[in-house]
Amino acid sequence: MINLSIKQAEIVQSSMDGAIQVLASAGSGKTRVLTERVRFILDKTKKDAVIALTFTNKASEEMQERLSDFDAVEDRAWIATIHSVAQRILEKYNHTIGLPSDLHIYERDKDRMELFLQSLRDDGIDIDDYLDVSDTREKRNREKVIQGYMDAFSSIKRELLHQDEEEVGQLFPHDDRVWKIFQDYQRALLDSGGIDFDDILVYAHDILTKNEWIADVYRAKYKHICVDEAQDLNKVQYEFIKALCGDTIKSVMMVGDPNQMIYGFNGSSTQYLCEYFVKDFSPHVFELKENYRSSKAIITVANKLKPNSQDEREAALPGGVTVEHSDDEFSEAAWITSQIKHLLSLKIHREIEGEITLKKMVVIARNRFVFSALQERLNEEKIPYVMKKGERLTESSSLFGKVLDYGVRLKLNNKDWVDGKKLYALLKTKVPDQWGNENALKKLSDSIPCDKIIFPQLQADLLIALQGMDADNPNMPKFIKAFNDKLIELAKTNVSDKHKLELERSADELNEFQRCWTQLKRKGLGESLQAFRNSMALGHLSEESNHDGLVLSTVHTMKGLEKDIVFIIGMCEGVFPDYRAKTKTDFDEERNNAFVAVTRAKRWLYISYPKCRTMPWGDKKVQNRSRFLSEIQA
């Protein structure tokens, strides 16, 4: 066991007969405690298995890495996100609740919208009349209306109201059509052989609660459950965990920090960690407040936002906090770049381990739009940077890459007309009247026009290869080599520079496809094409870019990570806190966002805001500094 503080060791080594609640503030070592608790259970029980539920794939991989030195850890510790565990249950037992096999995950919002709208068109329904959109201005914003319903559908599922018409009516008292529209949306999903992300947890919960014998299969092996970032649980996630436990599993550990709950838009609430868990499991309660990560200066700022949330260690380094206001966002960007160049020129400092490089810095903003002036300035100064993204993979840009993506989807689900229509449109081919043909890719390859698309034979060969692929056990190395060779041969022919660039992008995207397949096998996530697609949809195969540039990140994508040097920009009212915050609950979550942003810093923190900002329509607007900044400087 690695070195633990007295309080950390007390938590890790506490009794396995009951539940544990750990309220752990930023930098207090909660990941260490969670990981070592899993190690302790595995070591002391000899045969019991553990489910460790994380909020992100990155967190689960970090836990797996820390436990990799423990023998048989893969057999006895199931470390994954809640969605990943639910998806595994759904794949194995979906037939028990009447669902079709090999369900396709629609991970893109726009695809789910199109699927829903097209299902209405196919039924001969006037969409504007159906959605009660009468105003001509609203018709132009139909997508906004649809998005409102999509958000409502998510709320229904996250609150587990998918079978309760009366409760849905109470949740949306001003729109008595929501229940019917929700039913139509669900029917459209299943008719196309698909589900959305919320369905994964809803259906897995249904499986466990309607088939006690299935839940018992998991309880027989997994006697202990540990939950990370439990402050971010929503109702369906919490109820899924309860369904896994039933009346049998008592050894449940939930670790979280109520001060870092920033996913309220997903239905998250600290109530599940702080109230329902206490009521349902009567846990032994522990607090971890000592910050082992941050300097004294950072801890002081954190405690101004959240009084008494952090305890300072005697050994903590002094650190530093700098606040700067600028005339506008452009001068703010100039100040930040000048500070970055100055820090790089220092090369070394006693408070920073190793050389000061861009990799040890991050610029955090509340929203992505705040970065535009800084990106422009970084380009001018030739400072390399990367925008940190979530765990979803970037969509392909070459025709070959798109055909490969949509072709795999249609291969797996020949009823998937959403992606099918996109594939036919890309290849300039007439869309079929009906979907569900098992030889759809072969038929499509025969009808590709030779004069309307780039490299038509390449695209036809790709579709034929996918059609003939064994979906359960594809020979992916052979497939990838064959098309890599074809791209090389095409590049040797007399093609234009534009076409050569297309081939270069195609080769890059084929390499990315290969990297993802290798990740699938390396992580032991499956052997089939369906396992590959689901793993991509769930973000299991994403990879942090290996770059040496400056990271730009929103608060949400930076959560759980830290850097020696942190810049927080755009710290003015309407930006941070966000202008959409209206209620006390909204502002409490915005305060949590500020707390998370500040506590990403290990040593030095720079906070800035512009006194004037250019609006999207060109006007300049005077800005007031953020209320949170006023508190920090008080």
Side-chain angles (χ1 to χ4, degrees), residues 177-348:
R177 301 166 56 85
V178 171
W179 177 253
K180 181 185 183 306
I181 296 173
F182 170 67
Q183 295 295 309
D184 290 343
Y185 168 71
Q186 285 301 103
R187 195 176 304 113
L189 275 175
L190 290 175
D191 285 348
S192 69
I195 57 174
D196 62 24
F197 271 106
D198 294 312
D199 284 327
I200 294 172
L201 282 165
V202 168
Y203 288 140
H205 176 265
D206 283 352
I207 288 168
L208 294 176
T209 53
K210 293 177 180 178
N211 301 276
E212 192 71 17
W213 67 271
I214 296 175
D216 286 339
V217 168
Y218 290 95
R219 293 171 196 149
K221 179 175 182 180
Y222 299 101
K223 307 289 189 184
H224 314 267
I225 295 179
C226 298
V227 185
D228 193 16
E229 302 285 6
Q231 78 279 347
D232 287 318
L233 291 172
N234 59 28
K235 181 170 183 176
V236 68
Q237 291 168 339
Y238 180 73
E239 293 297 334
F240 172 72
I241 294 167
K242 275 183 66 179
L244 273 175
C245 296
D247 295 327
T248 308
I249 307 301
K250 305 296 183 184
S251 176
V252 183
M253 178 185 194
M254 287 200 180
V255 182
D257 179 9
N259 292 328
Q260 295 188 64
M261 199 291 289
I262 61 174
Y263 287 92
F265 58 86
N266 276 339
S268 300
S269 171
T270 57
Q271 284 184 308
Y272 297 105
L273 168 65
C274 298
E275 296 176 27
Y276 295 113
F277 180 53
V278 173
K279 173 175 161 289
D280 294 332
F281 289 87
S282 301
H284 188 177
V285 180
F286 295 91
E287 273 193 282
L288 287 175
K289 295 173 68 174
E290 196 168 27
N291 189 319
Y292 293 93
R293 178 171 70 209
S294 300
S295 63
K296 293 180 180 180
I298 306 303
I299 293 170
T300 298
V301 167
N303 278 330
K304 286 189 175 182
L305 288 170
K306 295 279 186 175
N308 303 314
S309 64
Q310 307 263 288
D311 286 346
E312 183 184 299
R313 286 189 311 131
E314 288 185 13
L317 294 166
V321 176
T322 302
V323 176
E324 177 74 10
H325 63 263
S326 304
D327 290 338
D328 55 31
E329 69 267 42
F330 303 104
S331 54
E332 180 187 28
W335 178 78
I336 291 168
T337 53
S338 70
Q339 294 303 306
I340 290 169
K341 289 165 78 173
H342 168 69
L343 291 168
L344 292 173
S345 71
L346 294 177
K347 293 191 182 296
I348 59 170

Side-chain angles (χ1 to χ4, degrees), residues 25 74 269 359 581:
S25 192
E74 291 184 3
S269 171
K359 292 186 78 168

